[in-house]
Coordinates of all heavy atoms in Angstrom, one line a residue:
M362 N -19.8 19.2 -16.6 CA -18.6 18.5 -16.5 C -19.0 17.0 -16.4 O -19.9 16.6 -15.7 CB -17.8 18.9 -15.4 CG -16.6 18.0 -15.1 SD -15.6 18.5 -13.7 CE -14.3 19.2 -14.5
A363 N -18.3 16.1 -17.1 CA -18.6 14.7 -17.0 C -17.3 13.9 -16.7 O -16.2 14.5 -16.9 CB -19.1 14.3 -18.4
Y364 N -17.5 12.8 -16.1 CA -16.3 11.9 -15.9 C -16.6 10.5 -16.3 O -17.8 10.1 -16.5 CB -15.9 12.0 -14.4 CG -16.9 11.5 -13.4 CD1 -16.9 10.2 -13.0 CD2 -17.9 12.4 -13.0 CE1 -17.9 9.7 -12.1 CE2 -18.9 11.9 -12.1 CZ -18.8 10.6 -11.7 OH -19.8 10.1 -10.8
I365 N -15.6 9.7 -16.4 CA -15.8 8.4 -16.9 C -15.6 7.4 -15.7 O -14.6 7.6 -15.0 CB -14.7 8.0 -18.0 CG1 -15.0 8.8 -19.2 CG2 -14.9 6.5 -18.4 CD1 -14.0 8.6 -20.3
A366 N -16.5 6.6 -15.4 CA -16.4 5.6 -14.3 C -16.1 4.2 -14.9 O -16.8 3.8 -15.9 CB -17.7 5.6 -13.5
F367 N -15.0 3.6 -14.4 CA -14.7 2.2 -14.9 C -15.1 1.2 -13.9 O -14.9 1.4 -12.7 CB -13.2 2.1 -15.1 CG -12.7 2.9 -16.3 CD1 -12.1 4.2 -16.1 CD2 -12.8 2.4 -17.6 CE1 -11.7 4.9 -17.1 CE2 -12.5 3.2 -18.6 CZ -11.8 4.4 -18.4
V368 N -15.8 0.2 -14.3 CA -16.3 -0.8 -13.5 C -15.7 -2.2 -13.9 O -15.8 -2.5 -15.0 CB -17.9 -0.9 -13.5 CG1 -18.4 -2.0 -12.6 CG2 -18.5 0.5 -13.2
A369 N -15.1 -2.9 -12.9 CA -14.6 -4.2 -13.2 C -15.7 -5.2 -13.3 O -16.5 -5.3 -12.3 CB -13.6 -4.6 -12.2
C370 N -15.9 -5.9 -14.4 CA -16.9 -6.9 -14.5 C -16.2 -8.3 -14.7 O -15.0 -8.3 -14.9 CB -17.8 -6.6 -15.7 SG -18.6 -5.1 -15.6
G371 N -17.0 -9.3 -14.7 CA -16.5 -10.7 -14.9 C -15.8 -10.8 -16.3 O -14.9 -11.6 -16.5
D372 N -16.2 -10.1 -17.3 CA -15.7 -10.2 -18.7 C -14.8 -9.0 -19.0 O -14.5 -8.9 -20.2 CB -16.8 -10.4 -19.7 CG -17.8 -9.2 -19.7 OD1 -17.8 -8.5 -18.7 OD2 -18.5 -9.0 -20.6
G373 N -14.4 -8.3 -18.1 CA -13.4 -7.2 -18.4 C -13.8 -5.9 -17.7 O -14.6 -5.9 -16.7
I374 N -13.3 -4.8 -18.1 CA -13.5 -3.5 -17.6 C -14.4 -2.7 -18.5 O -14.1 -2.6 -19.7 CB -12.2 -2.8 -17.3 CG1 -11.4 -3.5 -16.2 CG2 -12.5 -1.4 -16.8 CD1 -10.1 -2.9 -15.9
K375 N -15.5 -2.1 -17.9 CA -16.4 -1.4 -18.8 C -16.4 0.0 -18.3 O -16.3 0.3 -17.1 CB -17.8 -2.0 -18.8 CG -17.8 -3.3 -19.3 CD -19.3 -3.9 -19.4 CE -19.2 -5.3 -20.0 NZ -20.6 -5.9 -20.1
G376 N -16.5 1.0 -19.2 CA -16.5 2.4 -18.8 C -17.8 3.0 -19.2 O -18.4 2.6 -20.2
S377 N -18.3 4.0 -18.4 CA -19.5 4.7 -18.8 C -19.2 6.2 -18.4 O -18.6 6.5 -17.5 CB -20.7 4.1 -18.1 OG -20.6 4.3 -16.7
I378 N -19.8 7.0 -19.2 CA -19.7 8.5 -18.9 C -20.9 8.9 -18.1 O -22.1 8.6 -18.4 CB -19.7 9.3 -20.3 CG1 -18.4 8.9 -21.1 CG2 -19.7 10.7 -20.0 CD1 -18.4 9.5 -22.4
M379 N -20.6 9.6 -17.0 CA -21.6 10.0 -16.1 C -21.5 11.5 -15.9 O -20.4 12.1 -15.9 CB -21.5 9.3 -14.7 CG -21.4 7.8 -14.8 SD -21.0 7.0 -13.3 CE -22.7 6.9 -12.6
A380 N -22.6 12.2 -15.7 CA -22.6 13.6 -15.5 C -22.3 13.9 -14.1 O -22.9 13.2 -13.1 CB -24.0 14.2 -15.9
A381 N -21.4 14.7 -13.8 CA -21.0 15.1 -12.4 C -22.1 16.0 -11.8 O -22.4 17.1 -12.4 CB -19.6 15.7 -12.4
K382 N -22.6 15.7 -10.7 CA -23.6 16.6 -10.0 C -22.8 17.4 -8.9 O -22.1 16.9 -8.1 CB -24.5 15.6 -9.3 CG -25.8 16.4 -8.7 CD -26.7 15.3 -8.3 CE -26.3 14.8 -6.9 NZ -27.3 14.0 -6.2
R383 N -23.0 18.7 -9.1 CA -22.3 19.6 -8.1 C -23.1 19.7 -6.8 O -24.4 19.8 -6.8 CB -22.2 21.0 -8.8 CG -21.3 21.0 -10.0 CD -21.0 22.4 -10.5 NE -20.3 23.2 -9.6 CZ -19.0 23.3 -9.4 NH1 -18.2 22.4 -10.0 NH2 -18.5 24.2 -8.5
T384 N -22.4 19.6 -5.7 CA -23.0 19.7 -4.4 C -22.4 20.9 -3.7 O -21.3 21.3 -4.0 CB -22.7 18.4 -3.6 OG1 -21.3 18.3 -3.4 CG2 -23.2 17.2 -4.2
N385 N -23.2 21.4 -2.8 CA -22.6 22.5 -2.0 C -21.7 22.0 -0.9 O -21.7 20.8 -0.6 CB -23.8 23.4 -1.4 CG -24.6 22.6 -0.4 OD1 -24.2 21.6 0.2 ND2 -25.9 23.0 -0.2
P386 N -20.8 22.9 -0.4 CA -19.8 22.4 0.6 C -20.4 21.8 1.8 O -19.9 20.8 2.3 CB -19.1 23.7 0.9 CG -19.3 24.6 -0.3 CD -20.6 24.3 -0.8
L387 N -21.6 22.3 2.3 CA -22.1 21.6 3.5 C -22.6 20.2 3.2 O -22.3 19.3 4.0 CB -23.3 22.5 4.0 CG -24.0 22.0 5.2 CD1 -23.1 22.0 6.4 CD2 -25.2 22.9 5.6
Q388 N -23.2 20.0 2.1 CA -23.7 18.7 1.8 C -22.5 17.7 1.5 O -22.5 16.6 2.0 CB -24.5 18.7 0.5 CG -25.0 17.4 0.1 CD -25.9 17.4 -1.2 OE1 -26.0 18.5 -1.8 NE2 -26.4 16.3 -1.6
F389 N -21.4 18.3 1.0 CA -20.2 17.5 0.8 C -19.6 17.0 2.1 O -19.3 15.9 2.3 CB -19.1 18.3 0.0 CG -17.8 17.6 -0.2 CD1 -17.6 16.5 -1.0 CD2 -16.7 18.0 0.7 CE1 -16.4 15.9 -1.1 CE2 -15.5 17.4 0.6 CZ -15.3 16.3 -0.4
I390 N -19.5 18.0 3.1 CA -19.0 17.6 4.4 C -19.9 16.6 5.1 O -19.4 15.6 5.7 CB -18.8 18.9 5.3 CG1 -17.7 19.7 4.7 CG2 -18.5 18.6 6.7 CD1 -17.6 21.1 5.3
Q391 N -21.2 16.7 4.9 CA -22.1 15.8 5.5 C -21.9 14.4 4.9 O -21.9 13.4 5.6 CB -23.6 16.2 5.4 CG -24.0 17.4 6.2 CD -25.3 17.9 5.9 OE1 -25.9 17.6 4.9 NE2 -25.8 18.8 6.8
E392 N -21.7 14.3 3.6 CA -21.5 13.1 2.9 C -20.2 12.4 3.4 O -20.1 11.2 3.6 CB -21.5 13.2 1.4 CG -22.9 13.5 0.9 CD -22.9 13.8 -0.6 OE1 -21.9 13.6 -1.3 OE2 -24.0 14.1 -1.1
V393 N -19.1 13.2 3.5 CA -17.8 12.7 4.0 C -18.0 12.2 5.3 O -17.4 11.1 5.6 CB -16.7 13.9 3.9 CG1 -15.5 13.4 4.6 CG2 -16.4 14.2 2.5
R394 N -18.6 12.9 6.3 CA -18.8 12.4 7.6 C -19.6 11.1 7.6 O -19.3 10.1 8.4 CB -19.5 13.5 8.5 CG -18.6 14.6 8.8 CD -19.2 15.6 9.7 NE -19.3 14.9 11.0 CZ -19.7 15.5 12.1 NH1 -19.9 16.8 12.1 NH2 -19.9 14.8 13.2
G395 N -20.6 11.0 6.8 CA -21.4 9.8 6.7 C -20.6 8.6 6.2 O -20.7 7.5 6.8
E396 N -19.7 8.8 5.2 CA -18.9 7.8 4.7 C -17.8 7.4 5.8 O -17.4 6.3 5.9 CB -18.2 8.2 3.4 CG -19.1 8.3 2.2 CD -19.8 7.0 1.9 OE1 -19.1 5.9 1.9 OE2 -20.9 7.0 1.6
G397 N -17.3 8.4 6.5 CA -16.3 8.1 7.6 C -16.9 7.3 8.7 O -16.2 6.5 9.3
A398 N -18.2 7.4 8.9 CA -18.8 6.6 10.0 C -18.9 5.2 9.6 O -19.1 4.3 10.5 CB -20.2 7.2 10.3
K399 N -18.9 4.9 8.3 CA -19.0 3.5 7.8 C -17.7 2.7 7.9 O -17.7 1.5 7.9 CB -19.4 3.5 6.4 CG -20.8 4.0 6.1 CD -21.1 4.0 4.6 CE -22.4 4.7 4.3 NZ -22.7 4.7 2.9
I400 N -16.6 3.5 8.2 CA -15.3 2.8 8.2 C -15.1 2.0 9.5 O -15.5 2.5 10.6 CB -14.1 3.9 8.1 CG1 -14.2 4.6 6.8 CG2 -12.8 3.3 8.3 CD1 -13.3 5.8 6.7
T401 N -14.6 0.8 9.3 CA -14.3 0.0 10.5 C -12.8 0.2 10.8 O -11.9 -0.3 10.2 CB -14.5 -1.5 10.2 OG1 -15.8 -1.7 9.7 CG2 -14.3 -2.4 11.4
W402 N -12.6 1.0 11.9 CA -11.3 1.3 12.3 C -10.6 0.2 13.1 O -11.3 -0.5 13.9 CB -11.3 2.6 13.2 CG -11.8 3.8 12.4 CD1 -13.1 4.3 12.4 CD2 -11.1 4.5 11.4 NE1 -13.2 5.4 11.6 CE2 -12.0 5.6 11.0 CE3 -9.8 4.5 11.0 CZ2 -11.6 6.5 10.0 CZ3 -9.4 5.4 10.0 CH2 -10.3 6.4 9.6
P403 N -9.3 0.0 13.0 CA -8.7 -1.1 13.7 C -8.6 -0.7 15.2 O -8.5 0.5 15.6 CB -7.3 -1.2 13.1 CG -7.0 0.1 12.5 CD -8.4 0.7 12.1
T404 N -8.6 -1.7 16.0 CA -8.4 -1.6 17.5 C -7.0 -1.2 17.8 O -6.0 -1.5 17.0 CB -8.8 -2.8 18.3 OG1 -7.9 -3.9 17.9 CG2 -10.3 -3.2 18.0
R405 N -6.7 -0.7 19.0 CA -5.3 -0.4 19.4 C -4.4 -1.7 19.3 O -3.3 -1.7 18.9 CB -5.2 0.2 20.8 CG -3.9 0.5 21.3 CD -3.8 1.1 22.6 NE -4.4 2.4 22.7 CZ -3.7 3.5 22.3 NH1 -2.5 3.4 21.9 NH2 -4.3 4.7 22.4
R406 N -5.0 -2.9 19.8 CA -4.3 -4.1 19.8 C -3.9 -4.5 18.3 O -2.8 -5.0 18.1 CB -5.2 -5.2 20.4 CG -4.4 -6.5 20.5 CD -5.3 -7.5 21.3 NE -4.6 -8.7 21.6 CZ -4.5 -9.8 20.7 NH1 -5.2 -9.7 19.6 NH2 -3.9 -10.8 21.1
E407 N -4.8 -4.3 17.4 CA -4.5 -4.7 16.0 C -3.4 -3.8 15.4 O -2.5 -4.3 14.7 CB -5.8 -4.6 15.1 CG -6.8 -5.6 15.4 CD -8.2 -5.4 14.7 OE1 -8.5 -4.1 14.4 OE2 -8.9 -6.3 14.4
V408 N -3.5 -2.6 15.7 CA -2.4 -1.6 15.3 C -1.1 -2.0 15.9 O -0.1 -2.0 15.1 CB -2.8 -0.2 15.6 CG1 -1.7 0.8 15.3 CG2 -4.1 0.3 14.9
V409 N -1.0 -2.3 17.2 CA 0.3 -2.6 17.8 C 0.8 -3.9 17.1 O 2.0 -4.0 16.8 CB 0.1 -2.7 19.3 CG1 1.3 -3.3 20.0 CG2 -0.2 -1.4 19.9
L410 N -0.1 -4.9 17.0 CA 0.4 -6.2 16.5 C 0.9 -6.1 15.0 O 1.9 -6.6 14.7 CB -0.7 -7.2 16.6 CG -1.0 -7.8 17.9 CD1 -2.2 -8.8 17.9 CD2 0.2 -8.5 18.5
T411 N 0.1 -5.4 14.2 CA 0.6 -5.3 12.8 C 1.8 -4.4 12.7 O 2.7 -4.7 11.9 CB -0.6 -4.7 11.9 OG1 -1.0 -3.5 12.5 CG2 -1.7 -5.6 11.8
T412 N 2.0 -3.4 13.5 CA 3.2 -2.5 13.6 C 4.4 -3.4 14.0 O 5.4 -3.4 13.4 CB 3.0 -1.4 14.5 OG1 1.9 -0.6 14.1 CG2 4.2 -0.5 14.5
A413 N 4.2 -4.2 15.0 CA 5.3 -5.2 15.5 C 5.6 -6.1 14.3 O 6.8 -6.4 14.1 CB 4.9 -5.9 16.7
M414 N 4.7 -6.7 13.6 CA 4.9 -7.6 12.6 C 5.7 -7.0 11.4 O 6.6 -7.6 10.9 CB 3.6 -8.2 12.1 CG 3.0 -9.1 13.0 SD 1.4 -10.0 12.5 CE 0.9 -9.3 11.1
V415 N 5.3 -5.7 11.1 CA 6.0 -5.1 10.0 C 7.5 -4.8 10.5 O 8.4 -5.0 9.6 CB 5.3 -3.7 9.7 CG1 6.2 -2.8 8.8 CG2 4.0 -4.0 9.0
M416 N 7.7 -4.4 11.7 CA 9.0 -4.1 12.1 C 9.9 -5.4 12.1 O 11.1 -5.3 11.8 CB 9.0 -3.4 13.5 CG 8.4 -2.0 13.4 SD 8.2 -1.3 15.1 CE 9.9 -0.9 15.5
V417 N 9.3 -6.5 12.6 CA 10.1 -7.7 12.6 C 10.4 -8.2 11.2 O 11.5 -8.6 10.9 CB 9.2 -8.8 13.4 CG1 9.8 -10.2 13.2 CG2 9.2 -8.5 14.9
M418 N 9.4 -8.1 10.3 CA 9.7 -8.6 8.9 C 10.7 -7.7 8.2 O 11.5 -8.1 7.5 CB 8.4 -8.6 8.1 CG 7.5 -9.7 8.5 SD 8.2 -11.3 8.4 CE 8.5 -11.4 6.6
A419 N 10.7 -6.3 8.5 CA 11.6 -5.4 7.9 C 13.0 -5.8 8.4 O 14.0 -5.7 7.7 CB 11.3 -4.0 8.2
T420 N 13.1 -6.1 9.7 CA 14.4 -6.5 10.3 C 15.0 -7.8 9.7 O 16.1 -7.9 9.3 CB 14.4 -6.6 11.8 OG1 13.8 -5.3 12.3 CG2 15.6 -6.9 12.5
L421 N 14.1 -8.8 9.6 CA 14.5 -10.0 9.0 C 14.9 -9.9 7.5 O 15.9 -10.5 7.1 CB 13.3 -11.0 9.1 CG 13.1 -11.6 10.6 CD1 11.8 -12.4 10.5 CD2 14.2 -12.3 11.1
M422 N 14.2 -9.1 6.8 CA 14.4 -8.8 5.4 C 15.8 -8.1 5.3 O 16.6 -8.4 4.4 CB 13.4 -8.1 4.6 CG 12.1 -8.9 4.5 SD 12.2 -10.5 3.7 CE 12.6 -9.9 2.1
G423 N 16.0 -7.2 6.2 CA 17.3 -6.5 6.2 C 18.5 -7.4 6.4 O 19.5 -7.3 5.7
I424 N 18.3 -8.3 7.4 CA 19.4 -9.3 7.7 C 19.5 -10.2 6.5 O 20.7 -10.5 6.1 CB 19.0 -10.1 8.9 CG1 19.1 -9.1 10.2 CG2 20.0 -11.3 9.1 CD1 18.5 -9.8 11.5
F425 N 18.5 -10.7 5.9 CA 18.6 -11.6 4.8 C 19.3 -11.0 3.6 O 20.3 -11.5 3.1 CB 17.2 -12.0 4.4 CG 17.2 -12.8 3.0 CD1 17.6 -14.1 3.0 CD2 16.7 -12.2 1.9 CE1 17.6 -14.8 1.8 CE2 16.8 -12.8 0.7 CZ 17.1 -14.2 0.6
F426 N 18.9 -9.7 3.2 CA 19.6 -9.1 2.1 C 21.0 -8.7 2.4 O 21.9 -8.6 1.5 CB 18.8 -7.9 1.6 CG 17.5 -8.3 0.8 CD1 16.3 -8.0 1.3 CD2 17.7 -9.0 -0.3 CE1 15.2 -8.4 0.6 CE2 16.6 -9.4 -1.0 CZ 15.3 -9.1 -0.6
S427 N 21.3 -8.4 3.7 CA 22.7 -8.1 4.0 C 23.6 -9.4 3.9 O 24.7 -9.4 3.3 CB 22.8 -7.7 5.5 OG 22.2 -6.5 5.7
L428 N 23.0 -10.6 4.3 CA 23.8 -11.8 4.0 C 23.9 -12.2 2.6 O 25.0 -12.6 2.2 CB 23.0 -12.9 4.8 CG 23.0 -12.9 6.3 CD1 22.1 -14.0 6.9 CD2 24.4 -13.0 6.9
V429 N 22.9 -11.9 1.8 CA 23.0 -12.2 0.3 C 24.0 -11.2 -0.2 O 24.9 -11.7 -1.1 CB 21.6 -12.0 -0.4 CG1 21.7 -11.9 -1.9 CG2 20.6 -13.1 0.1
D430 N 24.0 -10.0 0.1 CA 25.0 -9.0 -0.3 C 26.4 -9.4 0.0 O 27.3 -9.4 -0.8 CB 24.7 -7.6 0.2 CG 25.6 -6.6 -0.3 OD1 25.8 -6.4 -1.5 OD2 26.3 -5.9 0.6
M431 N 26.6 -9.9 1.2 CA 28.0 -10.4 1.6 C 28.4 -11.6 0.8 O 29.6 -11.7 0.4 CB 28.0 -10.7 3.1 CG 28.0 -9.4 4.0 SD 28.4 -9.8 5.7 CE 26.9 -10.6 6.2
A432 N 27.5 -12.5 0.6 CA 27.8 -13.7 -0.2 C 28.1 -13.3 -1.6 O 29.2 -13.8 -2.2 CB 26.6 -14.6 -0.2
I433 N 27.4 -12.4 -2.2 CA 27.7 -12.0 -3.6 C 29.1 -11.3 -3.7 O 29.9 -11.5 -4.5 CB 26.5 -11.1 -4.2 CG1 25.3 -12.0 -4.4 CG2 27.0 -10.4 -5.5 CD1 24.1 -11.2 -4.8
R434 N 29.3 -10.4 -2.7 CA 30.6 -9.6 -2.7 C 31.7 -10.6 -2.5 O 32.7 -10.4 -3.2 CB 30.5 -8.6 -1.5 CG 31.7 -7.8 -1.5 CD 31.7 -6.6 -0.5 NE 30.6 -6.7 0.5 CZ 30.8 -6.7 1.8 NH1 32.0 -6.5 2.3 NH2 29.7 -6.8 2.5
S435 N 31.6 -11.6 -1.6 CA 32.7 -12.5 -1.4 C 32.9 -13.4 -2.6 O 34.1 -13.6 -3.0 CB 32.4 -13.5 -0.2 OG 32.2 -12.7 1.0
G436 N 31.9 -13.7 -3.2 CA 32.0 -14.6 -4.5 C 32.7 -13.7 -5.6 O 33.5 -14.3 -6.3
L437 N 32.3 -12.5 -5.7 CA 32.9 -11.6 -6.8 C 34.4 -11.4 -6.4 O 35.2 -11.4 -7.3 CB 32.2 -10.3 -6.9 CG 30.9 -10.4 -7.7 CD1 30.1 -9.0 -7.6 CD2 31.1 -10.7 -9.1
Q438 N 34.7 -11.1 -5.2 CA 36.1 -10.9 -4.8 C 36.9 -12.1 -5.0 O 38.1 -12.0 -5.5 CB 36.2 -10.4 -3.3 CG 35.7 -9.0 -3.0 CD 35.8 -8.6 -1.6 OE1 35.8 -9.5 -0.7 NE2 35.7 -7.4 -1.3
F439 N 36.4 -13.3 -4.7 CA 37.1 -14.5 -5.0 C 37.3 -14.7 -6.5 O 38.4 -15.0 -6.9 CB 36.4 -15.7 -4.4 CG 37.1 -17.0 -4.7 CD1 38.2 -17.4 -4.1 CD2 36.4 -17.9 -5.7 CE1 38.8 -18.6 -4.4 CE2 37.0 -19.1 -6.0 CZ 38.2 -19.5 -5.4
G440 N 36.3 -14.6 -7.2 CA 36.3 -14.8 -8.7 C 37.3 -13.8 -9.3 O 38.1 -14.1 -10.2
L441 N 37.2 -12.5 -9.0 CA 38.1 -11.5 -9.6 C 39.5 -11.7 -9.1 O 40.5 -11.4 -9.8 CB 37.6 -10.1 -9.3 CG 36.2 -9.7 -10.0 CD1 35.7 -8.4 -9.5 CD2 36.3 -9.7 -11.5
G442 N 39.7 -12.1 -7.8 CA 41.1 -12.3 -7.3 C 41.7 -13.5 -8.0 O 42.9 -13.6 -8.1
F443 N 40.9 -14.5 -8.4 CA 41.4 -15.7 -9.0 C 42.1 -15.3 -10.4 O 43.0 -16.0 -10.8 CB 40.2 -16.6 -9.2 CG 40.6 -18.0 -9.8 CD1 41.3 -18.9 -9.1 CD2 40.2 -18.3 -11.1 CE1 41.6 -20.1 -9.6 CE2 40.6 -19.6 -11.7 CZ 41.3 -20.5 -10.9
F444 N 41.5 -14.4 -11.1 CA 42.1 -14.0 -12.4 C 43.1 -12.9 -12.3 O 43.8 -12.6 -13.3 CB 40.9 -13.5 -13.3 CG 39.9 -14.6 -13.7 CD1 38.7 -14.6 -13.2 CD2 40.4 -15.6 -14.5 CE1 37.8 -15.6 -13.5 CE2 39.5 -16.7 -14.8 CZ 38.2 -16.7 -14.4
A445 N 43.3 -12.3 -11.2 CA 44.3 -11.2 -11.1 C 45.7 -11.7 -10.8 O 46.1 -12.8 -10.4 CB 43.9 -10.3 -10.0

């Protein structure tokens, strides 16, 4: 079995066909654990701060779009009431 690997280069994207090497399940699990050990996990403080920022921004965006919706609705009601 073969697969195509795409690599982003300075002058575009280049693809190359590579042969897939089959590994046994134990080796696969060892490789996954090794890659997992390389991950830099966020601290609890970072998670709490980013969660709070997302919640605040979602609330602000909700308020903003509600105001925009009310403005558009009022404008349409005024415009359509003007011609009725």
Side-chain angles (χ1 to χ4, degrees):
M362 174 183 254
Y364 63 93
I365 298 175
F367 290 100
V368 179
C370 299
D372 58 343
I374 297 177
K375 297 183 179 179
S377 64
I378 297 177
M379 306 174 86
K382 188 172 79 169
R383 295 190 57 86
T384 59
N385 64 25
L387 182 61
Q388 183 181 1
F389 174 76
I390 291 171
Q391 289 173 344
E392 289 176 7
V393 168
R394 290 186 63 170
E396 291 297 320
K399 295 177 187 177
I400 296 172
T401 304
W402 297 101
T404 64
R405 178 178 293 276
R406 183 174 187 274
E407 291 172 333
V408 171
V409 169
L410 285 175
T411 54
T412 301
M414 290 182 348
V415 167
M416 292 173 74
V417 167
M418 288 304 297
T420 302
L421 291 175
M422 294 303 291
I424 292 169
F425 171 75
F426 285 116
S427 294
L428 293 173
V429 169
D430 182 55
M431 286 191 289
I433 291 172
R434 185 172 13 126
S435 298
L437 284 172
Q438 285 176 344
F439 175 76
L441 293 175
F443 184 73
F444 293 110

